[in-house]
Amino acid sequence: MLPVVATAGPGDGLAGTKHDFSNLGGGSGVVRCAVCHTPHQAQTQQLLWNRAENGNTYSWSDPKTIGGTDYPTFTATYQGASAKCLSCHDGSVAVGDVGWWNGGPVISSGTKITGANQIATTTGDMTGNHPVAMPFPWNGVASSYNGSTTGAEALHSGWQGDPESLGIVLFTDDGAGNISKGATLGQTGIECTSCHDPHNGSEVQDVFLLRGLLGSNSADYLCAKCHAK
Ligand code: HEC
Ligand code: HEC
Ligand code: HEC
Ligand code: HEC
């Protein structure tokens, strides 16, 4: 079952968004958070992730961006949030297919995401989507992140020095595969959650759970929060 009509406004919190899964499990509300997180029996320690295993490998058809940065290849075990989003948004696993809640497995089959909200193909092809799980040249310095390093030409593009001050979330790869929130010189990257907040928290400014405006000439315009164009 997919969520009912989204009624929450930008920044109003999870309830009433398309990520409000309180109607899963017969409308009892029990899987509201547990469709993604569980306090026990989690699949991964990080984020206490509760999604059924997904065997996909995600990649882009192009080897590099126009700036010369390698597009990465990653699987469901990649720690960055993008792999978590794709555990539903590749349309390969049912939304209700969660691991553990209320003292038992809550595996239910049911609807998979299709149509506009399906971001990768069911076999993991990301072609046509903005880079994610990719380095960001924080403070104008090349970064290495998820096995990819900012290309020399990408440094010549116009960048905001500090997108975090504009409400964007950046991430650090410690070089050993551990991803955490916050920028570090030379080790910074972006994920789906750099642009979207899955919980519709107070930094969300527009529809689609966006951390910036969909259309504007102001500093709040989403694309301009990272690209200085
Ligand atoms: C649709 C999936 C989904 C649902 C539903 C969801 N979360 Fe999350 N949650 C995530 C993802 C993905 C992240 C990682 C966020 C990031 O990378 O910025 C996260 C991060 C978190 C974190 C780590 C700190 C932070 O805020 O980033 C906490 C705590 C958390 N969620 C609690 C909850 C609670 C409590 C609920 C229910 C009220 C909930 N989540 C519902 C997907 C979800
Ligand atoms: C538990 C499965 C699940 C996970 C995990 C998940 N989503 Fe979703 N998401 C959904 C469903 C279901 C919809 C509604 C699909 C539809 O209406 O066709 C949705 C809708 C959306 C929308 C559209 C919102 C709107 O108001 O139209 C965005 C944006 C989105 N998700 C982003 C993300 C991001 C980013 C992540 C990771 C941080 C994520 N999702 C993780 C299930 C999930
Ligand atoms: C660079 C910013 C950015 C990143 C990174 C990003 N998105 Fe989006 N996303 C947007 C914008 C802007 C929209 C609304 C415009 C549109 O429809 O394409 C959107 C729309 C969506 C929608 C609504 C359906 C649609 O296509 O319009 C979903 C679902 C979604 N994103 C999921 C994701 C997931 C999953 C990831 C990571 C794999 C991701 N996004 C990464 C900016 C981003
Ligand atoms: C969170 C920061 C961030 C935001 C917000 C953002 N971008 Fe990007 N964008 C990047 C990064 C990082 C790259 C990869 C640069 C590189 O290393 O080549 C990139 C690359 C691109 C590319 C080049 C892709 C290629 O393969 O050569 C385009 C075009 C682009 N972004 C457009 C957009 C648009 C349009 C928006 C608004 C919807 C947007 N970006 C929002 C960070 C961002």
Side-chain angles (χ1 to χ4, degrees):
M1 201 196 314
L2 290 179
V4 283
V5 187
T7 53
D12 287 352
L14 192 63
T17 66
K18 290 197 171 181
H19 282 171
D20 178 352
F21 295 103
S22 50
N23 67 331
L24 271 174
S28 59
V30 286
V31 293
R32 186 169 162 227
C33 305
V35 72
C36 293
H37 312 281
T38 179
H40 305 294
Q41 313 282 347
Q43 309 283 330
T44 65
Q45 184 58 37
Q46 196 207 38
L47 293 173
L48 299 169
W49 201 241
N50 202 25
R51 304 291 308 156
E53 193 56 50
N54 171 338
N56 260 343
T57 298
Y58 301 99
S59 62
W60 284 255
S61 61
D62 289 13
K64 292 174 188 294
T65 64
I66 191 94
T69 309
D70 286 334
Y71 273 103
T73 294
F74 60 96
T75 65
T77 61
Y78 168 60
Q79 270 203 10
S82 304
K84 309 284 191 276
C85 307
L86 292 167
S87 70
C88 286
H89 283 280
D90 68 1
S92 74
V93 177
V95 173
D97 200 353
V98 300
W100 188 269
W101 185 243
N102 199 15
V106 204
I107 302 291
S108 73
S109 53
T111 316
K112 298 174 181 176
I113 292 179
T114 57
N117 289 281
Q118 185 183 344
I119 299 301
T121 68
T122 51
T123 53
D125 188 354
M126 287 289 287
T127 303
N129 289 297
H130 189 280
V132 288
M134 288 278 281
F136 181 87
W138 190 59
N139 272 325
V141 172
S143 280
S144 292
Y145 187 92
N146 189 25
S148 172
T149 298
T150 310
E153 292 305 321
L155 285 174
H156 295 157
S157 192
W159 296 101
Q160 295 290 357
D162 184 14
E164 289 178 313
S165 66
L166 304 170
I168 293 293
V169 174
L170 297 173
F171 295 85
T172 291
D173 181 342
D174 71 354
N178 300 307
I179 307 285
S180 56
K181 272 189 184 175
T184 303
L185 198 66
Q187 295 171 264
T188 300
I190 62 169
E191 303 287 348
C192 306
T193 45
S194 297
C195 295
H196 298 278
D197 176 358
H199 309 112
N200 194 32
S202 57
E203 286 181 341
V204 169
Q205 295 184 321
D206 212 335
V207 292
F208 300 123
L209 314 170
L210 288 172
R211 297 182 177 280
L213 297 177
L214 201 50
S216 169
N217 278 327
S218 77
D220 282 336
Y221 178 52
L222 178 69
C223 309
K225 289 187 176 196
C226 286
H227 297 278
K229 298 279 184 214

Short mmCIF file of all heavy atoms in Angstrom, two decimals, residues 46 78 80-81 134-139 143-145 161-165 167-175 178-191 193-194 203 211:
data_model
loop_
_atom_site.label_atom_id
_atom_site.label_comp_id
_atom_site.label_asym_id
_atom_site.label_seq_id
_atom_site.Cartn_x
_atom_site.Cartn_y
_atom_site.Cartn_z
N GLN A 46 24.51 1.49 11.27
CA GLN A 46 24.31 2.88 10.93
C GLN A 46 22.86 3.11 10.51
O GLN A 46 22.32 2.41 9.65
CB GLN A 46 25.26 3.29 9.80
CG GLN A 46 25.35 4.80 9.69
CD GLN A 46 25.69 5.26 8.29
OE1 GLN A 46 25.24 4.70 7.30
NE2 GLN A 46 26.51 6.27 8.19
N TYR A 78 26.75 0.21 0.65
CA TYR A 78 27.40 1.51 0.74
C TYR A 78 26.74 2.30 1.87
O TYR A 78 25.52 2.36 1.96
CB TYR A 78 27.27 2.23 -0.61
CG TYR A 78 27.64 3.69 -0.58
CD1 TYR A 78 28.92 4.09 -0.22
CD2 TYR A 78 26.70 4.67 -0.90
CE1 TYR A 78 29.26 5.43 -0.18
CE2 TYR A 78 27.03 6.01 -0.88
CZ TYR A 78 28.30 6.40 -0.52
OH TYR A 78 28.64 7.72 -0.47
N GLY A 80 26.51 5.54 2.51
CA GLY A 80 25.86 6.82 2.25
C GLY A 80 24.35 6.68 2.13
O GLY A 80 23.83 5.63 1.74
N ALA A 81 23.62 7.76 2.45
CA ALA A 81 22.16 7.71 2.49
C ALA A 81 21.55 7.38 1.12
O ALA A 81 20.43 6.87 1.06
CB ALA A 81 21.61 9.04 2.99
N MET A 134 29.00 11.14 -4.51
CA MET A 134 30.08 11.75 -5.31
C MET A 134 30.79 12.84 -4.50
O MET A 134 30.18 13.47 -3.65
CB MET A 134 29.46 12.45 -6.53
CG MET A 134 28.94 11.53 -7.60
SD MET A 134 30.25 10.97 -8.69
CE MET A 134 30.48 12.38 -9.76
N PRO A 135 32.06 13.13 -4.83
CA PRO A 135 32.77 14.19 -4.13
C PRO A 135 32.23 15.58 -4.43
O PRO A 135 31.75 15.85 -5.52
CB PRO A 135 34.21 14.05 -4.64
CG PRO A 135 34.10 13.30 -5.93
CD PRO A 135 32.90 12.43 -5.82
N PHE A 136 32.32 16.46 -3.43
CA PHE A 136 32.00 17.89 -3.58
C PHE A 136 33.28 18.69 -3.26
O PHE A 136 33.90 18.46 -2.23
CB PHE A 136 30.88 18.30 -2.62
CG PHE A 136 30.51 19.75 -2.76
CD1 PHE A 136 29.57 20.14 -3.71
CD2 PHE A 136 31.13 20.73 -1.99
CE1 PHE A 136 29.24 21.48 -3.88
CE2 PHE A 136 30.81 22.07 -2.16
CZ PHE A 136 29.87 22.45 -3.10
N PRO A 137 33.66 19.65 -4.14
CA PRO A 137 34.91 20.41 -3.90
C PRO A 137 34.71 21.50 -2.85
O PRO A 137 34.73 22.69 -3.15
CB PRO A 137 35.21 20.99 -5.28
CG PRO A 137 33.88 21.13 -5.95
CD PRO A 137 33.01 20.02 -5.43
N TRP A 138 34.58 21.05 -1.61
CA TRP A 138 34.30 21.97 -0.50
C TRP A 138 35.46 22.95 -0.31
O TRP A 138 36.62 22.54 -0.35
CB TRP A 138 34.07 21.16 0.78
CG TRP A 138 33.55 21.95 1.94
CD1 TRP A 138 32.40 22.67 1.99
CD2 TRP A 138 34.18 22.11 3.21
NE1 TRP A 138 32.25 23.24 3.22
CE2 TRP A 138 33.32 22.93 3.99
CE3 TRP A 138 35.36 21.63 3.77
CZ2 TRP A 138 33.64 23.28 5.31
CZ3 TRP A 138 35.67 21.98 5.08
CH2 TRP A 138 34.81 22.79 5.83
N ASN A 139 35.13 24.21 -0.16
CA ASN A 139 36.13 25.29 -0.04
C ASN A 139 37.07 25.35 -1.24
O ASN A 139 38.22 25.77 -1.11
CB ASN A 139 36.94 25.14 1.25
CG ASN A 139 36.26 25.85 2.41
OD1 ASN A 139 35.64 26.90 2.22
ND2 ASN A 139 36.34 25.29 3.60
N SER A 143 37.94 16.89 -3.60
CA SER A 143 37.64 15.91 -2.54
C SER A 143 37.74 14.51 -3.09
O SER A 143 37.47 14.27 -4.28
CB SER A 143 36.21 16.11 -2.02
OG SER A 143 36.12 17.16 -1.09
N SER A 144 38.10 13.55 -2.22
CA SER A 144 37.99 12.13 -2.54
C SER A 144 36.88 11.58 -1.68
O SER A 144 36.85 11.81 -0.45
CB SER A 144 39.30 11.39 -2.23
OG SER A 144 40.28 11.84 -3.14
N TYR A 145 35.95 10.86 -2.33
CA TYR A 145 34.73 10.42 -1.63
C TYR A 145 34.18 9.22 -2.36
O TYR A 145 34.04 9.24 -3.58
CB TYR A 145 33.73 11.59 -1.64
CG TYR A 145 32.47 11.37 -0.83
CD1 TYR A 145 32.39 11.77 0.50
CD2 TYR A 145 31.35 10.78 -1.41
CE1 TYR A 145 31.23 11.58 1.25
CE2 TYR A 145 30.18 10.59 -0.67
CZ TYR A 145 30.13 10.99 0.65
OH TYR A 145 28.98 10.82 1.38
N GLY A 161 31.39 28.13 -1.64
CA GLY A 161 32.42 27.65 -0.73
C GLY A 161 31.82 26.83 0.41
O GLY A 161 32.37 25.81 0.81
N ASP A 162 30.67 27.26 0.91
CA ASP A 162 30.13 26.64 2.12
C ASP A 162 28.61 26.44 2.02
O ASP A 162 27.82 27.15 2.65
CB ASP A 162 30.46 27.53 3.33
CG ASP A 162 30.02 26.89 4.64
OD1 ASP A 162 29.70 25.67 4.63
OD2 ASP A 162 29.97 27.60 5.65
N PRO A 163 28.19 25.41 1.23
CA PRO A 163 26.75 25.16 1.07
C PRO A 163 26.03 24.85 2.39
O PRO A 163 24.83 25.08 2.51
CB PRO A 163 26.70 23.93 0.15
CG PRO A 163 28.01 23.94 -0.57
CD PRO A 163 28.99 24.51 0.41
N GLU A 164 26.78 24.36 3.40
CA GLU A 164 26.13 24.03 4.68
C GLU A 164 25.51 25.27 5.33
O GLU A 164 24.48 25.18 5.99
CB GLU A 164 27.15 23.38 5.64
CG GLU A 164 27.53 21.98 5.18
CD GLU A 164 28.57 21.33 6.09
OE1 GLU A 164 29.57 21.97 6.42
OE2 GLU A 164 28.38 20.17 6.46
N SER A 165 26.15 26.42 5.10
CA SER A 165 25.61 27.65 5.68
C SER A 165 24.30 28.04 5.00
O SER A 165 23.55 28.89 5.48
CB SER A 165 26.62 28.79 5.57
OG SER A 165 26.81 29.12 4.20
N GLY A 167 21.98 25.66 4.23
CA GLY A 167 20.98 24.64 4.55
C GLY A 167 21.16 23.32 3.81
O GLY A 167 20.32 22.43 3.90
N ILE A 168 22.28 23.19 3.08
CA ILE A 168 22.61 21.93 2.39
C ILE A 168 23.35 21.01 3.36
O ILE A 168 24.14 21.50 4.18
CB ILE A 168 23.50 22.23 1.16
CG1 ILE A 168 22.73 23.01 0.09
CG2 ILE A 168 24.13 20.97 0.58
CD1 ILE A 168 21.61 22.28 -0.59
N VAL A 169 23.12 19.71 3.27
CA VAL A 169 23.85 18.76 4.11
C VAL A 169 24.95 18.10 3.29
O VAL A 169 24.69 17.57 2.21
CB VAL A 169 22.90 17.69 4.70
CG1 VAL A 169 23.69 16.63 5.46
CG2 VAL A 169 21.88 18.34 5.61
N LEU A 170 26.18 18.17 3.80
CA LEU A 170 27.32 17.51 3.14
C LEU A 170 27.82 16.39 4.04
O LEU A 170 27.48 16.34 5.23
CB LEU A 170 28.43 18.53 2.86
CG LEU A 170 28.04 19.66 1.91
CD1 LEU A 170 29.15 20.71 1.82
CD2 LEU A 170 27.71 19.13 0.51
N PHE A 171 28.64 15.50 3.48
CA PHE A 171 29.06 14.30 4.19
C PHE A 171 30.57 14.13 4.08
O PHE A 171 31.20 14.64 3.15
CB PHE A 171 28.35 13.07 3.59
CG PHE A 171 26.86 13.10 3.80
CD1 PHE A 171 26.04 13.80 2.91
CD2 PHE A 171 26.28 12.49 4.90
CE1 PHE A 171 24.66 13.86 3.11
CE2 PHE A 171 24.90 12.54 5.11
CZ PHE A 171 24.09 13.23 4.20
N THR A 172 31.14 13.38 5.04
CA THR A 172 32.56 13.07 5.04
C THR A 172 32.75 11.57 4.89
O THR A 172 32.06 10.78 5.55
CB THR A 172 33.22 13.54 6.36
OG1 THR A 172 33.23 14.97 6.37
CG2 THR A 172 34.65 13.03 6.48
N ASP A 173 33.69 11.18 4.00
CA ASP A 173 34.12 9.79 3.86
C ASP A 173 35.49 9.70 4.53
O ASP A 173 36.43 10.37 4.11
CB ASP A 173 34.21 9.43 2.37
CG ASP A 173 34.64 7.99 2.12
OD1 ASP A 173 35.20 7.37 3.04
OD2 ASP A 173 34.44 7.52 1.00
N ASP A 174 35.60 8.89 5.59
CA ASP A 174 36.87 8.84 6.33
C ASP A 174 37.96 8.06 5.59
O ASP A 174 39.07 7.89 6.11
CB ASP A 174 36.65 8.26 7.74
CG ASP A 174 36.34 6.76 7.74
OD1 ASP A 174 36.18 6.17 6.64
OD2 ASP A 174 36.26 6.18 8.83
N GLY A 175 37.63 7.55 4.39
CA GLY A 175 38.61 6.81 3.61
C GLY A 175 38.56 5.33 3.86
O GLY A 175 39.16 4.54 3.14
N ASN A 178 33.51 4.68 5.93
CA ASN A 178 32.55 5.22 6.90
C ASN A 178 32.11 6.62 6.47
O ASN A 178 32.95 7.49 6.24
CB ASN A 178 33.18 5.29 8.29
CG ASN A 178 33.61 3.92 8.76
OD1 ASN A 178 32.83 2.99 8.77
ND2 ASN A 178 34.88 3.79 9.13
N ILE A 179 30.80 6.80 6.37
CA ILE A 179 30.24 8.08 5.93
C ILE A 179 29.53 8.72 7.12
O ILE A 179 28.76 8.07 7.81
CB ILE A 179 29.20 7.87 4.80
CG1 ILE A 179 29.79 7.04 3.65
CG2 ILE A 179 28.64 9.20 4.32
CD1 ILE A 179 30.75 7.75 2.75
N SER A 180 29.81 10.01 7.36
CA SER A 180 29.11 10.72 8.43
C SER A 180 28.75 12.11 7.95
O SER A 180 29.30 12.63 6.97
CB SER A 180 29.99 10.79 9.69
OG SER A 180 31.22 11.41 9.38
N LYS A 181 27.81 12.74 8.66
CA LYS A 181 27.35 14.07 8.27
C LYS A 181 28.40 15.13 8.55
O LYS A 181 29.10 15.06 9.55
CB LYS A 181 26.09 14.43 9.05
CG LYS A 181 24.81 13.98 8.39
CD LYS A 181 23.60 14.57 9.12
CE LYS A 181 22.32 14.03 8.51
NZ LYS A 181 21.14 14.47 9.26
N GLY A 182 28.48 16.15 7.67
CA GLY A 182 29.38 17.27 7.87
C GLY A 182 30.55 17.24 6.91
O GLY A 182 31.03 16.16 6.53
N ALA A 183 31.03 18.42 6.48
CA ALA A 183 32.12 18.52 5.51
C ALA A 183 33.48 18.45 6.19
O ALA A 183 33.64 18.89 7.32
CB ALA A 183 31.99 19.83 4.75
N THR A 184 34.48 17.86 5.48
CA THR A 184 35.87 17.83 5.92
C THR A 184 36.73 18.14 4.70
O THR A 184 36.49 17.57 3.63
CB THR A 184 36.25 16.43 6.46
OG1 THR A 184 35.36 16.09 7.52
CG2 THR A 184 37.67 16.40 6.98
N LEU A 185 37.70 19.03 4.84
CA LEU A 185 38.51 19.44 3.69
C LEU A 185 39.10 18.22 2.98
O LEU A 185 39.76 17.39 3.61
CB LEU A 185 39.62 20.39 4.15
CG LEU A 185 40.27 21.22 3.02
CD1 LEU A 185 39.27 22.20 2.43
CD2 LEU A 185 41.50 21.96 3.53
N GLY A 186 38.84 18.09 1.68
CA GLY A 186 39.41 17.02 0.87
C GLY A 186 38.66 15.70 0.94
O GLY A 186 39.01 14.76 0.23
N GLN A 187 37.63 15.60 1.78
CA GLN A 187 36.92 14.32 1.97
C GLN A 187 35.41 14.48 1.93
O GLN A 187 34.68 13.68 2.52
CB GLN A 187 37.30 13.71 3.33
CG GLN A 187 38.75 13.31 3.47
CD GLN A 187 39.06 12.93 4.92
OE1 GLN A 187 39.56 13.73 5.70
NE2 GLN A 187 38.73 11.71 5.29
N THR A 188 34.93 15.53 1.25
CA THR A 188 33.50 15.88 1.32
C THR A 188 32.74 15.34 0.11
O THR A 188 33.27 15.28 -0.99
CB THR A 188 33.36 17.41 1.39
OG1 THR A 188 34.04 17.85 2.56
CG2 THR A 188 31.92 17.86 1.43
N GLY A 189 31.48 14.95 0.36
CA GLY A 189 30.65 14.47 -0.74
C GLY A 189 29.18 14.78 -0.56
O GLY A 189 28.77 15.33 0.47
N ILE A 190 28.41 14.44 -1.60
CA ILE A 190 26.97 14.70 -1.59
C ILE A 190 26.19 13.39 -1.74
O ILE A 190 26.68 12.43 -2.34
CB ILE A 190 26.54 15.67 -2.71
CG1 ILE A 190 26.84 15.12 -4.11
CG2 ILE A 190 27.20 17.02 -2.53
CD1 ILE A 190 26.20 15.89 -5.25
N GLU A 191 25.00 13.38 -1.17
CA GLU A 191 24.08 12.24 -1.25
C GLU A 191 22.69 12.79 -1.61
O GLU A 191 22.50 14.00 -1.68
CB GLU A 191 24.02 11.52 0.12
CG GLU A 191 25.37 11.03 0.64
CD GLU A 191 25.91 9.82 -0.11
OE1 GLU A 191 25.16 9.20 -0.89
OE2 GLU A 191 27.10 9.50 0.08
N THR A 193 20.35 13.06 0.28
CA THR A 193 19.91 13.87 1.41
C THR A 193 20.61 15.23 1.47
O THR A 193 20.32 16.03 2.36
CB THR A 193 20.12 13.10 2.72
OG1 THR A 193 21.42 12.51 2.71
CG2 THR A 193 19.08 12.00 2.87
N SER A 194 21.55 15.52 0.54
CA SER A 194 22.08 16.88 0.44
C SER A 194 20.98 17.81 -0.06
O SER A 194 20.93 18.98 0.33
CB SER A 194 23.27 16.92 -0.52
OG SER A 194 24.33 16.13 -0.02
N GLU A 203 14.39 22.42 7.75
CA GLU A 203 15.20 23.02 6.68
C GLU A 203 14.59 22.83 5.29
O GLU A 203 15.10 23.36 4.31
CB GLU A 203 16.63 22.43 6.71
CG GLU A 203 17.43 22.98 7.88
CD GLU A 203 18.85 22.45 7.95
OE1 GLU A 203 19.13 21.40 7.33
OE2 GLU A 203 19.67 23.09 8.63
N ARG A 211 15.58 20.95 0.16
CA ARG A 211 16.30 21.85 1.05
C ARG A 211 16.55 23.21 0.41
O ARG A 211 17.46 23.94 0.82
CB ARG A 211 17.65 21.24 1.43
CG ARG A 211 17.53 19.94 2.20
CD ARG A 211 18.90 19.42 2.57
NE ARG A 211 18.81 18.22 3.37
CZ ARG A 211 18.56 18.20 4.69
NH1 ARG A 211 18.41 19.34 5.35
NH2 ARG A 211 18.47 17.07 5.33
#
